Amino acid sequence: MDRNPSPPCSDAEEEEGDAVGNTVYSKHWLFSVLTRLIEVIAPAEPDPAASPEGARTELDEEMENDICKVWDMSMDEDVALFLQEFNAPDIFMGVFAKSKCPRLTEICVGILGNMACFQDICMSISKDENLGQVLLQRLCDSDSPTLLETSRLLLTCLSQPEVANVWVERIRENPSVYDCVCFIMSSSTNVELLVKVGEVVDKLFDLDEELMLNWIKSGTCRSVGPSVDDSPEELPDFKIVPCILEAAKQVRSDNPEGLDVYMHILQLLTTVDEGIQAIVQAPDGGKDTWSLLYDLVCQELCQPDDPPIIVQEQKTVLASILSVLSAMFASQTEQEYTRMRKNMPLIGSLIRILQYMEGCGKRAVDNSKDSEQEETGRTDVNEEDFHLKILKDICCELLSNMLQELTKENTLEGLHQGHLNEQTCSCAFQNLLPLYFASVESFLEVLREADQTLADNLEKRFPSLKV
């Protein structure tokens, strides 16, 4: 079936003034579709296609085609305003309350999502407390397409500064939202849905630290969640970190942007002590988190066979991952998974990221010189990319902490595996000095025991290290 059929046009010769706003869409046709929609949810006579409970579970093809046309048309502001004036949101409320047809519910939420893209309509939808509560209840739906459109609608509203706080407060007062979101993240295999739900969580945590703290502390009692037959069922105690990890594992291969979203959520958790503790005091002591992030850095992102420019593409996800690893390493140095004998490949990856950034920096300087010749008057052309600078700062902090923990045996292993040599050590020193002088000095002392010649060569290249 054609998901995006061409919307109907108004025939100006047949009926003067029938066009919606400045569009060519017909008011009369829109009225007729909305009227039929009302009849679908409140039929005058029993419908043979209805379920035993009396509600239709399927849409007939003509009605589905027409309501899909309205869905597409609602992306136009004039149409969205017309639907608002016709009280379409109230009609959709009736759909949510009475309809047993998942496809119809999905389409109606989708239309509202399109309408919410326009500020005035978004404010009207957001201030309707009943509609707001009903929409949050859709997060407990068992239908993935409906969940996707609900998440898209919520993200649209949360992205509007004028109404974001209304939704944050509403979500904070509805504990079921936490349960439903965790249920989706921990159990869904729909990557598109997981990405959109992740974007909602990321936006919520970024907007409101109090809500983030509440969700970190949640999961201490058994909760009521969605079920296929709409009857409540008990859900396990959801903890936010395992749910985020499960979603990240689902999206990591198929959606780089989704992985970026979930890594940023983890990074936001580490901005508060409670979040760090939620990560490292999980039943596994944080091992699952460390293992996932370790694999991403050492096996997937910014690899030796990638061109250096890859660091530009991956800079935000790398910054989030390294930020979480740094927080975990600083707080869990006694955990087995942070032992340096297991983490020499991570040190090698950190140095490679710094090497790639140096390559990007040289290219940026060359490009800026060309830009200066073409565009005079700009003073910021030679400034280092802001996000690359953040990545560099985080990378250097983690690397300095890890170098301080190296023993002679670890260092010998790193030399043998090729993670440490004169080139990589020089790159590390170049980036760490002078801010992390103590860490470099400590590592150099250990290096003297493992490879005196290499230590001497590095001292010659970095005279400030000489005793």
Side-chain angles (χ1 to χ4, degrees):
M1 178 185 144
D2 185 4
R3 161 63 186 83
N4 293 303
S6 299
C9 297
S10 169
D11 190 341
E13 293 182 358
E14 289 186 8
E15 187 170 350
E16 190 71 26
D18 186 48
V20 177
N22 294 319
T23 74
V24 294
Y25 305 137
S26 166
K27 289 180 183 178
H28 177 75
W29 183 86
L30 272 170
F31 273 125
S32 69
V33 174
L34 292 174
T35 301
R36 285 158 54 206
L37 181 58
I38 295 172
E39 293 172 353
V40 166
I41 59 175
E45 298 179 4
D47 191 326
S51 65
E53 291 79 12
R56 294 177 62 95
T57 58
E58 298 292 338
L59 278 176
D60 63 66
E61 186 175 348
E62 181 183 0
M63 185 63 196
E64 183 170 355
N65 270 324
D66 286 346
I67 197 69
C68 277
K69 291 175 184 177
V70 177
W71 191 357
D72 293 325
M73 293 164 63
S74 62
M75 290 186 289
D76 185 287
E77 186 172 8
D78 285 336
V79 174
L81 288 169
F82 179 82
L83 292 172
Q84 176 78 359
E85 292 171 4
F86 193 71
N87 294 322
D90 290 340
I91 297 174
F92 299 152
M93 282 265 286
V95 171
F96 303 148
K98 299 179 181 179
S99 174
K100 297 292 183 180
C101 175
R103 178 62 171 156
L104 180 58
T105 302
E106 173 206 355
I107 295 170
C108 291
V109 177
I111 294 172
L112 278 176
N114 284 349
M115 294 171 64
C117 293
F118 306 104
Q119 183 177 335
D120 290 345
I121 300 177
C122 185
M123 292 181 67
S124 175
I125 292 173
S126 300
K127 290 178 180 178
D128 187 330
E129 187 62 29
N130 291 332
L131 180 57
Q133 295 295 338
V134 168
L135 288 173
L136 290 184
Q137 291 171 12
R138 298 272 62 79
L139 286 173
C140 293
D141 207 293
S142 60
D143 180 59
S144 290
T146 298
L147 289 171
L148 177 61
E149 292 306 319
T150 303
S151 301
R152 185 174 72 90
L153 170 58
L154 289 177
L155 184 62
T156 299
C157 294
L158 289 169
S159 300
Q160 297 261 10
E162 297 79 10
V163 298
N165 289 338
V166 174
W167 285 98
V168 169
E169 184 65 27
R170 188 173 286 148
I171 291 170
R172 192 190 298 138
E173 294 175 352
N174 280 268
S176 64
V177 174
Y178 169 85
D179 297 320
C180 295
V181 166
C182 285
F183 182 78
I184 294 168
M185 291 193 295
S186 62
S187 62
S188 178
T189 57
N190 185 319
V191 171
E192 189 178 5
L193 171 59
L194 288 172
V195 173
K196 194 58 65 177
V197 168
E199 290 175 343
V200 171
V201 174
D202 188 44
K203 190 69 175 178
L204 283 170
F205 286 4
D206 195 38
L207 285 169
D208 193 77
E209 185 176 293
E210 181 184 345
L211 183 142
M212 182 173 71
L213 288 169
N214 289 343
W215 282 24
I216 290 170
K217 298 170 185 175
S218 292
T220 56
C221 59
R222 300 193 65 81
S223 309
V224 174
S227 66
V228 176
D229 61 0
D230 283 343
S231 60
E233 66 174 11
E234 275 197 339
L235 295 177
D237 293 346
F238 283 123
K239 299 292 186 182
I240 190 68
V241 173
C243 296
I244 293 169
L245 292 180
E246 189 59 39
K249 292 172 186 176
Q250 285 288 336
V251 305
R252 66 185 286 186
S253 301
D254 299 324
N255 196 298
E257 292 78 13
L259 179 64
D260 198 344
V261 167
Y262 279 98
M263 293 303 100
H264 190 254
I265 294 172
L266 283 177
Q267 182 184 7
L268 287 173
L269 292 182
T270 64
T271 61
V272 294
D273 290 339
E274 293 87 346
I276 297 174
Q277 295 307 309
I279 293 173
V280 300
Q281 291 184 359
D284 63 357
K287 183 179 178 181
D288 282 352
T289 304
W290 184 274
S291 296
L292 174 62
L293 304 189
Y294 178 96
D295 283 347
L296 289 170
V297 176
C298 296
Q299 305 296 331
E300 294 187 21
L301 301 173
C302 205
Q303 294 301 292
D305 55 350
D306 289 328
I309 195 66
I310 194 70
V311 78
Q312 278 276 10
E313 179 183 330
Q314 298 174 350
K315 58 194 173 187
T316 56
V317 67
L318 280 169
S320 295
I321 292 171
L322 298 186
S323 180
V324 178
L325 286 173
S326 185
M328 293 183 70
F329 189 82
S331 61
Q332 288 293 88
T333 52
E334 299 304 316
Q335 282 287 351
E336 177 64 23
Y337 60 76
T338 62
R339 300 295 187 192
M340 294 314 303
R341 61 185 173 81
K342 294 186 175 183
N343 285 307
M344 286 310 305
L346 180 55
I347 287 181
S349 295
L350 294 175
I351 295 174
R352 182 168 59 252
I353 291 169
L354 292 173
Q355 289 174 319
Y356 282 10
M357 280 194 286
E358 287 180 350
C360 289
K362 291 176 182 177
R363 287 189 55 171
V365 169
D366 293 338
N367 292 338
S368 68
K369 289 178 180 178
D370 295 338
S371 298
E372 282 180 329
Q373 294 173 356
E374 298 173 3
E375 187 179 348
T376 58
R378 287 188 60 184
T379 60
D380 60 340
V381 288
N382 288 320
E383 289 184 5
E384 187 176 7
D385 181 270
F386 177 69
H387 293 288
L388 276 180
K389 184 179 185 307
I390 292 175
L391 174 58
K392 179 180 177 181
D393 291 345
I394 296 170
C395 189
C396 286
E397 180 181 5
L398 177 56
L399 180 60
S400 69
N401 287 337
M402 298 188 81
L403 289 180
Q404 279 190 310
E405 298 296 324
L406 287 178
T407 63
K408 176 183 176 181
E409 291 72 22
N410 304 147
T411 304
L412 285 169
E413 187 177 1
L415 291 167
H416 176 71
Q417 295 173 349
H419 302 302
L420 296 178
N421 54 47
E422 186 167 346
Q423 182 185 18
T424 58
C425 289
S426 295
C427 175
F429 288 12
Q430 182 71 38
N431 285 278
L432 294 177
L433 292 172
L435 185 60
Y436 298 101
F437 182 89
S439 296
V440 174
E441 189 177 44
S442 171
F443 168 63
L444 192 59
E445 287 297 323
V446 175
L447 187 59
R448 282 195 186 96
E449 301 177 27
D451 190 329
Q452 181 67 51
T453 302
L454 176 55
D456 291 341
N457 290 341
L458 289 169
E459 277 192 334
K460 292 175 183 177
R461 297 187 68 169
F462 299 91
S464 64
L465 294 172
K466 290 183 179 179
V467 178

